[in-house]
Amino acid sequence: METTQLSVRIARKAVEATDIVSLELAPLEGAALPPFSAGSHIDVEVKPGLVRQYSLCNDPTESHRYLIGVLRDPVSRGGSVAVHELLQEGQVLRISAPRNHFALVPAKRSILFAGGIGVTPILCMAERLAQSGADFEMHYCARSADRAAFVERIRRSPFAAKVHFHYDDGDAAQKLDLGAVLEAAGADAHLYVCGPSGFIDFVTKGAAARQWSAERVHFEYFAGQKVDTSADGCFEVKLASSGKCVSVPPTKTVVTALREAGVNVEVSCEQGVCGTCLTRVLEGEVDHRDNYLTDEEKAANDQFLPCCSRARGKQLVLDL
């Protein structure tokens, strides 16, 4: 993990809900951890060579710990299973300093939507907004009450009255009425949503249908989108610094092809979510497959994520 800067100890591991555990990470020497802002995440090396990103969900004014929540994913690529089954209290982990691609922006009112484990950055945002006296409300959707994490923490918080719980298996009266929430939000409100891709799409498309501008809608995916790769072909990437050309076959990513050619690009999630591998594109048309860049950034065609995106033509010239 090239971005690792810190070693921390698992001070506490706790079950927060069905299939969800939290890890409290503390510095080894008792020193203050680097500060973070609401919406930040860290890279965690859950076992040698396996790095995953997890949002920080504790109070952002705290400097003595980082708190993350991890869902045991039935289609896990190894990260969540390792957290649930292998990691134990007292164990030392390597992590990165916090990064934030999902930051709060000044707004008269903020509407927070959390779907399942997507509560982790959203809860941190609620903490920050409450501390600053901001006007906000939070909607927490889960399959059932037993699968909703940090519920008691929320109920004990000063902002408990601002949080609304919605369970798929509950009665109709308590289920999320997205249209009513969005229509009552006001023209100056900003929306934040995190959770499974289907939940994010539901909220963001609902906002778009009600003429919410893209600037007022903020979201963060936990996993890359599924892409049909059956028509993928071969192309090459050219390194502007040396003129070297590297062939990228249909079965490999640009990152993998470059690595095999002796060119290392810093990566982390390798799913097009975290933005670690963001690379400038000098020539060529990109087939964007990430959940990191905005539609406007993709349309500009001057950067891409080589961990997942490809070329639409025969060549991309990269600023490498």
Side-chain angles (χ1 to χ4, degrees):
M1 182 171 59
E2 296 180 36
T3 58
T4 300
Q5 298 179 13
L6 307 168
S7 291
V8 294
R9 188 179 306 280
I10 301 175
R12 183 171 180 267
K13 181 179 182 180
V15 175
E16 300 291 348
T18 299
D19 289 335
I20 298 176
V21 297
S22 65
L23 298 182
E24 181 178 325
L25 308 176
L28 295 184
E29 304 302 328
L33 290 166
F36 69 97
S37 54
S40 294
H41 70 270
I42 56 173
D43 296 345
V44 179
E45 188 173 55
V46 296
K47 62 181 182 180
L50 185 63
V51 179
R52 293 292 181 263
Q53 292 71 43
Y54 298 109
S55 297
L56 297 176
C57 60
N58 53 307
D59 184 335
T61 64
E62 294 179 341
S63 60
H64 67 288
R65 67 170 186 160
Y66 292 149
L67 186 69
I68 62 174
V70 182
L71 170 70
R72 185 187 181 104
D73 189 341
V75 293
S76 169
R77 296 182 300 134
S80 71
V81 170
V83 171
H84 278 252
E85 296 185 359
L86 302 180
L87 299 188
Q88 303 297 329
E89 290 183 0
Q91 191 169 341
V92 174
L93 299 178
R94 297 194 303 158
I95 68 171
S96 71
R99 296 190 300 247
N100 198 341
H101 306 306
F102 188 40
L104 288 166
V105 299
K108 289 186 177 180
R109 182 170 176 77
S110 299
I111 313 296
L112 311 179
F113 294 95
I117 194 61
V119 72
T120 48
I122 296 298
L123 181 52
C124 189
M125 290 178 171
E127 294 272 10
R128 180 70 190 106
L129 290 167
Q131 290 165 2
S132 63
D135 183 12
F136 77 97
E137 66 182 81
M138 174 177 162
H139 294 268
Y140 187 1
C141 302
R143 287 165 54 190
S144 56
D146 68 296
R147 291 185 174 275
F150 307 112
V151 172
E152 288 307 311
R153 170 180 161 186
I154 292 170
R155 287 176 174 161
R156 295 194 305 266
S157 73
F159 55 86
K162 297 179 181 290
V163 182
H164 308 273
F165 296 93
H166 310 281
Y167 302 121
D168 291 349
D169 64 352
D171 62 81
Q174 55 84 55
K175 292 188 178 180
L176 175 63
D177 186 342
L178 180 64
V181 173
L182 294 178
E183 288 165 10
D188 298 321
H190 278 244
L191 177 162
Y192 301 83
V193 56
C194 188
S197 58
F199 179 75
I200 294 176
D201 291 345
F202 167 67
V203 174
T204 56
K205 288 178 180 178
R210 291 165 179 82
Q211 284 73 56
W212 281 58
S213 65
E215 293 74 20
R216 296 168 58 207
V217 178
H218 314 271
F219 52 90
E220 183 170 61
Y221 287 92
F222 279 133
Q225 60 184 316
K226 294 182 180 179
V227 177
D228 181 3
T229 61
S230 60
D232 284 356
C234 184
F235 63 97
E236 69 175 20
V237 290
K238 181 178 180 179
L239 311 185
S241 62
S242 64
K244 181 177 182 177
C245 292
V246 177
S247 178
V248 183
T251 57
K252 294 180 180 178
T253 65
V254 175
V255 164
T256 299
L258 287 173
R259 184 184 297 128
E260 292 176 355
V263 180
N264 287 320
V265 175
E266 185 177 350
V267 296
S268 186
C269 75
E270 297 192 66
Q271 296 186 80
V273 175
C274 72
T276 300
C277 65
L278 189 65
T279 302
R280 286 188 62 207
V281 176
L282 303 180
E283 295 179 30
E285 185 178 1
V286 178
D287 178 7
H288 291 285
R289 301 182 178 184
D290 65 274
N291 283 321
Y292 177 76
L293 296 172
T294 65
D295 290 342
E296 292 78 11
E297 289 170 333
K298 291 176 181 178
N301 200 64
D302 59 0
Q303 55 187 337
F304 86 136
L305 272 68
C307 69
C308 63
S309 297
R310 301 179 69 81
R312 291 192 181 278
K314 293 297 183 182
Q315 185 185 75
L316 292 177
V317 180
L318 308 181
D319 187 19
L320 291 174

